[in-house]
Amino acid sequence: MSDKHYTLTDPESGSVLELKRYDPTIGPSVLDVTKLYGSQGVFTYDPGFAATACCTSDVTYIDGEKGVLLYRGYPIEQLAEKSTYIEVCYLLLHGELPNKTELANFEESIRTHTMINESLLRFFNGFHYDAHPMAMMSGVVGSMSAFYHDSTDIHNPEHRDIVAHRLIAKIPTIAAAAYKHTLGQPFVYPANDLDYCGNLLSMFFAVPAEEYEVDRVAAEAIDLLFILHADHEQNCSTSTVRMAGSSGTSPYSAIAAGISALWGPAHGGANEAVINMLEKVGSVDHINEYVARAKDKDDPFRLMGFGHRVYKSYDPRAAIIRKMCHKVLEGLGQQDNPLFELALRLEEIALKDEYFIEKNLYPNVDFYSGIIYQALGIPKSMFTVMFAIARCVGWVTHWCEMVADPTSRIGRPRQLYTGPTERDYVSLKDRG
Ligand code: CMC
């Protein structure tokens, strides 16, 4: 980071304020306001952190205007075409693509950490049969803090590595246990001879009474979706992981906080909400009615899977998923999938509408991903869980980066107070 300055002049008093300016490797410069309160007695105000960089990070870069997404400098389009999810996990965690030996060792480590403690497995019996799997996920991943006491020193890089491998390896197992609980089916143990996504499918769909063969079209589709969801810089859930982790809490608790943040419909919960919306729209004839509702300020309805805080152009992940939908649906013999037809038409109509054009609202990653998951037989309530499995590597990478950063401090924002000024307590008998 270079050490330049940015000067602000108060037009009334003429006083000059110098703020340090940091120039990133790419993207807009950042002004350092850490000394502002000490020198000027004022805070900055930025609800939703739309204009605030809260950390330095080497992991992921987004150019929202141009629709660019880079993991460790590599364009998402190249990774989607040429890489695998496990290789992307290594890249995110370590900053570089692995050589053959490094990849083999990493894969081996993830494969051999897939089982979870049997006691942890029994937690699922405590959940109601119709509990949302995201509720079970946050509870059980948080409960991992009560196990694995061999690697609790967050300042030890080896311990952090073990935490990362455990989380990436075990989160599909926990997700599958949540799914099997909702079905009332027996839990299927991980099969370490299968690859990451093949194992996930087997734990989801195999039953002890029958042979199960992994569908390669499905496994490859999930692998690609996982690459696209693996990280997205300082989004709501990742920032939550960093915020919770900044207190020095257990990494499993911090990741559980991230899972909770992801669940909301404005974030990862949107993939489930998109399918609910498309089912409600029902047919092409009703699209205009729903588009009109989305534009109506007095109606809380929004087009789910549309709009993004950072992307003001087409989300590059949505572009890849839309293309992939054609291929996967064809591979599954579902080329006439009515929800996909409806989604394509809805996109076409919205993108020609003045409201969406003016506000730069385009399909985001969640608009088409649910269509693929649904075609693969994954139920709606598991869509956000799939997102959580994929994003786990991003969360843990950011947590590691934060813990290793000597400039990290506990996250503690300030506020613009609008409550009452100081007043005296009135005893109950004297209150009217
Ligand atoms: N439908 C209709 N209007 C919208 C939509 C939408 N989906 N998204 C934004 N707008 C309007 C919004 O009403 C506002 O209008 P105005 O300026 O007149 O008040 C303007 O566009 C800006 O929206 P905002 O809510 O201030 O933008 P934000 O950056 O705070 O929110 C968002 C971003 C993603 C939460 C929002 O676009 C949204 O709610 N989208 C639908 C939910 C969704 O698809 N979420 C997934 C996000 S991507 C993946 C992820 O994060 O997990």
Side-chain angles (χ1 to χ4, degrees), residues 239-260:
S239 301
T240 301
V241 170
R242 279 185 178 262
M243 175 67 97
S246 75
S247 72
T249 189
S250 148
Y252 303 110
S253 304
I255 301 293
I259 292 173
S260 305

Side-chain angles (χ1 to χ4, degrees), residues 25-58:
T25 46
I26 20 172
S29 298
V30 169
L31 302 183
D32 182 345
V33 293
T34 50
K35 302 278 183 285
L36 195 62
Y37 179 61
S39 70
Q40 307 296 313
V42 292
F43 296 133
T44 54
Y45 178 61
D46 182 22
F49 308 114
T52 298
C54 55
C55 60
T56 60
S57 181
D58 298 345

Side-chain angles (χ1 to χ4, degrees), residues 235 262 265-268 270 294-295 297 301-309 312 315 317 355-356 359 361 364-366 387:
N235 58 86
L262 185 76
H267 193 9
K295 297 189 313 188
K297 284 275 152 250
F301 175 78
R302 284 186 166 199
L303 274 196
M304 299 313 287
F306 257 78
H308 198 276
R309 170 63 61 79
K312 299 303 164 203
D315 181 335
R317 303 165 300 173
Y355 174 95
F356 290 87
K359 294 185 193 304
L361 301 170
N364 60 49
V365 69
D366 291 317
F387 193 157

Side-chain angles (χ1 to χ4, degrees), residues 41-359:
V42 292
F43 296 133
T44 54
Y45 178 61
D46 182 22
F49 308 114
T52 298
C54 55
C55 60
T56 60
S57 181
D58 298 345
V59 184
T60 290
Y61 172 74
I62 305 172
D63 181 332
E65 309 300 323
K66 297 194 184 126
V68 170
L69 170 61
L70 312 176
Y71 292 166
R72 301 285 192 184
Y74 295 101
I76 192 66
E77 292 80 4
Q78 291 183 23
L79 294 169
E81 192 191 330
K82 299 178 180 163
S83 191
T84 62
Y85 177 66
I86 282 294
E87 188 179 61
V88 165
C89 287
Y90 185 98
L91 171 68
L92 288 169
L93 281 172
H94 298 281
E96 296 297 336
L97 287 168
N99 63 28
K100 276 187 187 155
T101 315
E102 287 164 338
L103 183 60
N105 290 343
F106 182 69
E107 270 177 328
E108 171 75 4
S109 174
I110 300 301
R111 265 175 218 265
T112 51
H113 278 89
T114 48
M115 284 175 68
I116 55 175
N117 190 298
E118 285 293 304
S119 311
L120 202 57
L121 205 51
R122 282 196 287 274
F123 284 14
F124 287 93
N125 293 333
F127 290 108
H128 204 250
Y129 72 95
D130 61 355
H132 195 287
M134 282 298 277
M136 294 191 258
M137 288 294 286
S138 61
V140 176
V141 170
S143 304
M144 288 173 79
S145 317
F147 297 78
Y148 314 119
H149 295 298
D150 58 339
S151 53
T152 49
D153 180 3
I154 62 170
H155 300 294
N156 180 335
E158 276 172 31
H159 285 202
R160 291 201 294 271
D161 253 9
I162 297 170
V163 164
H165 288 213
R166 277 203 176 118
L167 275 162
I168 295 166
K170 293 181 199 305
I171 198 164
T173 316
I174 294 172
Y179 179 46
K180 289 296 194 189
H181 180 71
T182 59
L183 293 178
Q185 285 184 4
F187 172 68
V188 173
Y189 283 91
N192 290 354
D193 57 331
L194 295 175
D195 61 18
Y196 194 79
C197 295
N199 176 46
L200 179 137
L201 284 168
S202 152
M203 290 190 294
F204 273 37
F205 296 120
V207 286
E210 282 171 28
E211 285 289 310
Y212 178 80
E213 202 183 319
V214 173
D215 178 339
R216 288 320 306 169
V217 175
E220 279 164 29
I222 291 175
D223 199 81
L224 180 48
L225 284 175
F226 279 9
I227 292 175
L228 302 177
H229 283 92
D231 193 45
H232 213 231
E233 55 119 298
Q234 311 309 322
N235 58 86
C236 174
S237 55
T238 302
S239 301
T240 301
V241 170
R242 279 185 178 262
M243 175 67 97
S246 75
S247 72
T249 189
S250 148
Y252 303 110
S253 304
I255 301 293
I259 292 173
S260 305
L262 185 76
W263 190 6
H267 193 9
N271 53 14
E272 184 181 344
V274 167
I275 299 295
N276 287 334
M277 174 187 78
L278 291 173
E279 285 172 352
K280 258 201 221 151
V281 174
S283 89
V284 172
D285 302 340
H286 298 130
I287 291 179
N288 286 333
E289 180 194 321
Y290 279 87
V291 168
R293 282 189 60 192
K295 297 189 313 188
D296 182 354
K297 284 275 152 250
D298 297 324
D299 188 329
F301 175 78
R302 284 186 166 199
L303 274 196
M304 299 313 287
F306 257 78
H308 198 276
R309 170 63 61 79
V310 183
Y311 292 119
K312 299 303 164 203
S313 58
Y314 212 103
D315 181 335
R317 303 165 300 173
I320 298 170
I321 300 176
R322 191 176 69 163
K323 220 159 123 195
M324 167 189 181
C325 269
H326 290 285
K327 205 174 138 203
V328 173
L329 294 175
E330 207 176 297
L332 296 169
Q334 299 183 27
Q335 42 277 72
D336 298 325
N337 183 304
L339 278 196
F340 184 43
E341 298 295 323
L342 192 58
L344 286 171
R345 192 78 186 102
L346 176 55
E347 174 190 329
E348 196 186 323
I349 291 174
L351 291 189
K352 282 188 192 142
D353 191 291
E354 204 41 51
Y355 174 95
F356 290 87
I357 295 170
E358 189 208 314
K359 294 185 193 304

